[in-house]
Amino acid sequence: MMRAGTHHLADDALRAAASVDDTRLLASIEALAAFGARSDGGVNRPALSATDLEARRHLVGYAHALGCTVTTDACANLFIHRPGSDAAPPVMTGSHIDTQPSGGKLDGCYGVLAGLECMAALNDAGIRTRRPLEVAIWTNEEGTRFAPGAMGSSAFVEPSRMPAYLNAADADGVTLGAALERYRHALPGLPSRGDAPPAHAFVELHIEQGPQLENAGVPLGIVTGIQGVRWYEFHCQGVAAHAGTTPMPMRRDAMTLAVALRASLEAIATSLGGEHTRITFGRWSVTPNSINTIPSDVTFSVDFRHPDAHVLDSFDAQVSACAQRHGARIAPLFTHAPVRFDATVLARLDAACHALEAPALRLTSGAFHDAMYLSQHCPTAMLFVPSRDGISHNPAEATDARHLVLGARALAHTLTTLCND
Amino acid sequence: MMRAGTHHLADDALRAAASVDDTRLLASIEALAAFGARSDGGVNRPALSATDLEARRHLVGYAHALGCTVTTDACANLFIHRPGSDAAPPVMTGSHIDTQPSGGKLDGCYGVLAGLECMAALNDAGIRTRRPLEVAIWTNEEGTRFAPGAMGSSAFVEPSRMPAYLNAADADGVTLGAALERYRHALPGLPSRGDAPPAHAFVELHIEQGPQLENAGVPLGIVTGIQGVRWYEFHCQGVAAHAGTTPMPMRRDAMTLAVALRASLEAIATSLGGEHTRITFGRWSVTPNSINTIPSDVTFSVDFRHPDAHVLDSFDAQVSACAQRHGARIAPLFTHAPVRFDATVLARLDAACHALEAPALRLTSGAFHDAMYLSQHCPTAMLFVPSRDGISHNPAEATDARHLVLGARALAHTLTTLCND
C-alpha cells in the first residue's frame, strides 16, 4: 500500500503508464491531423508552412494547459518543459510534426503527442519526478520543404550548421531564414534559448514505417540503432536520335544504359549486404523525354542502407568501379554512418516492456529519425509500434489503437524511471 | 543552242538545277536558324511561338522579294505561289519550320528553303513553267508544342480535323485556337484560302535523319514510302513505401515492373519485325519521384515502326496480351498505316538523279513527314539527303554542304519537269 508523500519510484513508473488515457491520446492525434488535412485522409503539413504554424500554436496552447513552459531556439524547435523537483538536466522525448506532401497522421506526430500524453498522465497521477521532463518538437525532419532533413535536431546538436541552413530554399524560393522570420512573428512571446543545454537522455517513440513488427506479431520494437545510408545520383549519357530512323544496333539509348546499371547496382548491394540490404532507385529524370526521340540523358538516384558500416564502405568502393564500367557519372549526395543507441536507455526500454508484460522485438531502424542526431548529444534510444502493412509516407499510414496506447504507456514508464534517476 | 522564247522543256529542268546558288541556299539556312537559336548551335522554335512568327515574317518577306504571292489557311499553313503560264493545278513542295525543343537547323527547314531556292533559280534562269509552283510551310509538324504532329498537313488534306485541333493545348495551357488568333494578329494582310485546291504533285525534300545514305556512301535517297507506326503508353502500378524500412522481397516497385515490361516489349518487336524494327521508349514519368520512396507509378511511351502493316497488326495483338501478363495498363496514343509513294513522281525523281549523274538509293522513311498526309491529296514522293552520323532532333544535326546543294538541284529538276507536265 502506498501513502501520500512516500512514493516508491518503481510504482511511479507503473502509475504513470496506467494513467495514459487512450481516448485523450487518440483524440489528440485526430486534432493535430486537422492542420493540413488532405481529402484522402492524409496530411500535408510542410515545415514552417501556415498550417504548421497553426499546429504549433495549437500544441503550445495544450502545453500551457498542462502547466508546462514552452521555449524555442534558433531553428524553431519547440521545448515543452515539465519541471522536476531538482534542477538536474532533463529527460527529453519528442519527434516532429512536419509531414511528407502526401503523408499520414502518425509519422513524427505520434511521438510528440505520446510525449505530451505522458505529461498529462504524470499530472493525473500526481507524480512529481526528480528531473524535468521535456517534449521536443524538431523542425523540418522530413526534409521535403527544406533540404536536408532533420534540420532542427541536427542544428540542436551542432549549432554551427545554422548559417548554411538559413540559406536553404524551398521549391518557391523561400529560404529557411525567411520562414523562421515568419514563425517568430506568428508565435510571438516564446522565450528563445541559446545552445542546447545538457540532457540526461532522449527517447523517441515512433511508428516503425516497415513491416517487421507486424510480421512478427509483436506490439513493441526496441530500436538498437539506425541503418547507415548512402545517397548517390548516377548519370548515363546516350545520344538523342530519331525514333523512326535509327536502326537498333546503332542506338545509344541512355535508358538502356541506365537499366543495365540499375541491375548491376542492385546485384552489388544484394551480394554485399544480404537480407539487410535496402536499395531504392526512387528519382528518375529522362531527357528529352519525348515519345519519338531516343533518350540522350538519364539521371537516377540510389538510396542504399545497411546497419553495417563495412558494407556501406564496400558499396562506396564497388559502385565507383561499376559506374566507370558502365560509362556513367556518379555523384554522392548524402552519407550517414550507422548509429548504435545507448545500452542504458535500451535497458530501461526493456524494463518498461517487461513491467507492462508487453512482448518486444529488438530491431534496427531503416528510416532516419531525429534520434540519429540526438544520440550525439546524450544517451539515446527509440521505441517503435507496428505500422499496418508496413506502410508510411502515405495517407494510408495506420497503427492499431491498442498499439498506439501500449507504446505511450511504455514511453511513460521509461521516461518516469529516467526522470527519477 | 537555245534561242529566247523557244524553251526545250528538258533543258528547263537542267538549267533550273544549274541555277541553284549554293551560297544563297546555305546563307538562307543560317538566316532561318537565327530565329530561336540555341547557345549550343541548335534551334528551339515551337510551332506558332513568337520566334516562329518572326521566322514566318522573314520568309514571307523573302517570298515577296522573289515575286511570289503568299496565302494562308485555317491551320496557319503558308503557301508561297510562283505563277505558271497556265491556270493548272500547281506542283507543290515544302516542309515545316517548327523544331524539336533541342532541334537542329535542317529538319523541315531544309525542304522549305530548298523550295524557295528552286523558285529563285527559276527566276535567275528566266524560266516560266506551265504550271504554278508552290512552296508550302506546314504548321506544327513536330507535334512537340501541340499534339498530334503534322497538324497543318493533316488539316489541309482533311479539314474536318480542325475543330478538334483547335482545342489542343500546349504545356502552358495555350490552345491552338488561341495561338492561331495571335498568328493572325502578328501577320495581318495574308489572304486566307479555303479548302485545299487540287495539286498536280507534292515533292518533299528532307534530311534522312538516319544513317542509311551515309553508310551506303550515296548522296541522294529516293523515298518509296513511310513506315507505319504505333504509339502506346504503358502504366505500371506499384506501391509507394519507405526506402529504408521496406525489405526487398516485400516491395512492389513500379520501376522494377516497368523495366521488365520494357524488355518483353522489345523482345516482341524484334521477333516480329527483324532488322526493320524500330522500337523506342522515349518518355518516362515516375511517381512520387523521391529519393527515399519506392516508386508507386511509372508511365512510359512506346514508339514502334515497321514498313509492313501485318507486323504492326501483330504487334498490336501481342502487346495487349503482354501488358496483361505484366499487370500493366495500356493506352494506344496514335497509329498510322505504312504509306507507299506515287510511282510517277518516283520516276521523275529517278530521272532527275540520272540527269544530274547523282547516285541515289531507294529507301523507306523511318520518320513521319507532311508527305505522309499529302499523299492522300495528290501524287507524292520524297527525296532525302544524308544526315551526318545519322543524327537528327539534336543540335548536332548536320549535312555536308555539297549534299544540301545536290538535293536542291535534284529538287529543282524534278519540280521543273512536273511543272511542265
Side-chain angles (χ1 to χ4, degrees), chain A residues 366-380:
Chain A
F368 309 149
H369 295 288
D370 293 304
M372 185 162 82
Y373 289 104
L374 266 294
S375 69
Q376 298 169 24
H377 183 67
C378 62
T380 292

Side-chain angles (χ1 to χ4, degrees), chain A residues 127-340:
Chain A
I127 295 168
R128 173 148 201 169
T129 55
R130 190 174 86 76
R131 294 176 179 276
L133 176 60
E134 212 164 86
V135 174
I137 302 176
W138 306 112
T139 297
N140 191 51
E141 193 271 348
E142 295 291 355
T144 47
R145 180 169 182 198
F146 301 106
M151 264 190 178
S153 51
S154 60
F156 175 81
V157 304
E158 184 48 70
S160 67
R161 290 189 166 103
M162 273 309 287
Y165 287 178
L166 290 173
N167 295 321
D170 68 11
D172 296 327
V174 178
T175 61
L176 178 75
L180 288 174
E181 198 61 45
R182 205 169 300 164
Y183 160 72
R184 285 187 283 265
H185 278 88
L187 282 88
L190 284 183
S192 187
R193 70 187 196 191
D195 285 356
H200 181 59
F202 178 71
V203 181
E204 186 171 359
L205 174 60
H206 208 281
I207 55 169
E208 182 197 340
Q209 308 185 271
Q212 295 186 69
L213 292 176
E214 187 177 76
N215 287 352
V218 171
L220 294 175
I222 294 173
V223 186
T224 56
I226 298 184
Q227 289 180 348
V229 69
R230 295 294 185 273
W231 280 2
Y232 285 107
E233 196 163 68
F234 288 84
H235 174 254
C236 295
Q237 176 81 56
V239 175
H242 196 292
T245 61
T246 315
M248 302 308 287
M250 291 194 58
R251 295 180 176 211
R252 194 165 164 81
D253 182 330
M255 189 51 121
T256 302
L257 304 175
V259 163
L261 177 55
R262 178 185 185 274
S264 295
L265 292 169
E266 185 160 359
I268 290 172
T270 306
S271 94
L272 286 175
E275 61 165 335
H276 294 296
T277 290
R278 306 277 184 274
I279 187 162
T280 304
F281 309 89
R283 196 169 67 188
W284 293 77
S285 161
V286 178
T287 303
N289 216 31
S290 159
I291 292 184
N292 54 351
T293 305
I294 296 163
S296 62
D297 298 83
V298 173
T299 302
F300 65 92
S301 64
V302 172
D303 173 315
F304 176 62
R305 305 193 197 198
H306 203 275
D308 183 341
H310 294 106
V311 168
L312 294 162
D313 292 343
S314 303
F315 186 75
D316 286 341
Q318 293 202 19
V319 293
S320 296
C322 179
Q324 202 161 19
R325 275 198 308 281
H326 285 261
R329 281 206 314 274
I330 176 172
L333 297 183
F334 178 71
T335 175
H336 204 285
V339 169
R340 308 298 310 163

Side-chain angles (χ1 to χ4, degrees), chain B residues 265-405:
Chain B
L265 293 169
E266 184 159 2
I268 289 172
T270 306
S271 93
L272 286 175
E275 61 165 334
H276 294 296
T277 290
R278 307 278 184 271
I279 187 162
T280 303
F281 309 89
R283 195 168 67 187
W284 293 75
S285 160
V286 178
T287 303
N289 216 31
S290 158
I291 293 184
N292 53 353
T293 306
I294 297 162
S296 62
D297 299 83
V298 172
T299 301
F300 64 93
S301 65
V302 172
D303 173 315
F304 177 62
R305 306 195 195 197
H306 204 275
D308 182 341
H310 295 107
V311 168
L312 294 162
D313 292 344
S314 303
F315 186 75
D316 287 342
Q318 293 203 19
V319 293
S320 296
C322 179
Q324 203 161 19
R325 274 197 309 280
H326 284 261
R329 282 206 312 273
I330 177 171
L333 297 182
F334 178 70
T335 175
H336 204 284
V339 168
R340 309 296 313 161
F341 284 140
D342 180 80
T344 311
V345 182
L346 289 171
R348 297 300 176 89
L349 287 165
D350 282 332
C353 296
H354 187 76
L356 298 175
E357 297 177 4
L361 194 71
R362 289 208 160 207
L363 43 74
T364 301
S365 173
F368 310 148
H369 294 287
D370 293 304
M372 184 162 82
Y373 290 103
L374 267 293
S375 68
Q376 298 168 26
H377 183 69
C378 63
T380 293
M382 292 187 72
L383 182 66
F384 277 173
V385 293
S387 289
R388 205 176 293 160
D389 298 328
I391 292 173
S392 183
H393 286 189
N394 189 309
E397 183 179 88
T399 297
D400 290 353
R402 64 199 161 92
H403 294 154
L404 293 172
V405 173

Side-chain angles (χ1 to χ4, degrees), chain B residues 39-242:
Chain B
S39 59
D40 58 8
V43 180
N44 177 16
R45 191 166 55 230
L48 300 176
S49 62
T51 50
D52 183 46
L53 299 185
E54 285 169 38
R56 286 162 178 256
R57 206 176 290 119
H58 160 78
L59 293 178
V60 168
Y62 184 55
H64 288 153
L66 291 175
C68 295
T69 55
V70 184
T71 53
T72 188
D73 69 2
C75 200
N77 297 311
L78 285 171
F79 304 98
I80 297 167
H81 186 91
R82 183 178 189 270
S85 57
D86 292 5
V91 172
M92 297 181 74
T93 187
S95 190
H96 62 95
I97 63 165
D98 64 316
T99 73
Q100 291 279 326
S102 60
K105 299 174 177 177
L106 298 175
D107 178 357
C109 300
Y110 171 55
V112 168
L113 296 168
L116 292 172
E117 178 56 31
C118 290
M119 289 176 160
L122 287 168
N123 285 357
D124 288 356
I127 295 168
R128 173 148 202 170
T129 55
R130 189 174 87 77
R131 295 176 178 275
L133 176 60
E134 211 163 86
V135 174
I137 302 175
W138 306 111
T139 298
N140 191 49
E141 193 270 351
E142 295 292 354
T144 47
R145 179 169 183 198
F146 301 106
M151 262 188 179
S153 51
S154 59
F156 176 82
V157 303
E158 184 49 67
S160 68
R161 290 188 167 104
M162 273 310 285
Y165 286 178
L166 290 173
N167 295 321
D170 67 10
D172 297 327
V174 178
T175 62
L176 178 75
L180 289 173
E181 197 61 44
R182 204 168 303 164
Y183 160 73
R184 285 186 284 263
H185 279 87
L187 282 88
L190 285 183
S192 186
R193 71 186 195 191
D195 286 354
H200 180 60
F202 178 70
V203 181
E204 186 171 359
L205 173 61
H206 208 282
I207 55 169
E208 181 196 343
Q209 308 185 271
Q212 294 185 70
L213 293 175
E214 186 176 76
N215 287 353
V218 171
L220 294 175
I222 295 173
V223 186
T224 57
I226 299 185
Q227 290 180 347
V229 69
R230 296 295 186 271
W231 280 2
Y232 285 108
E233 196 163 69
F234 288 85
H235 175 254
C236 295
Q237 175 81 54
V239 175
H242 195 293

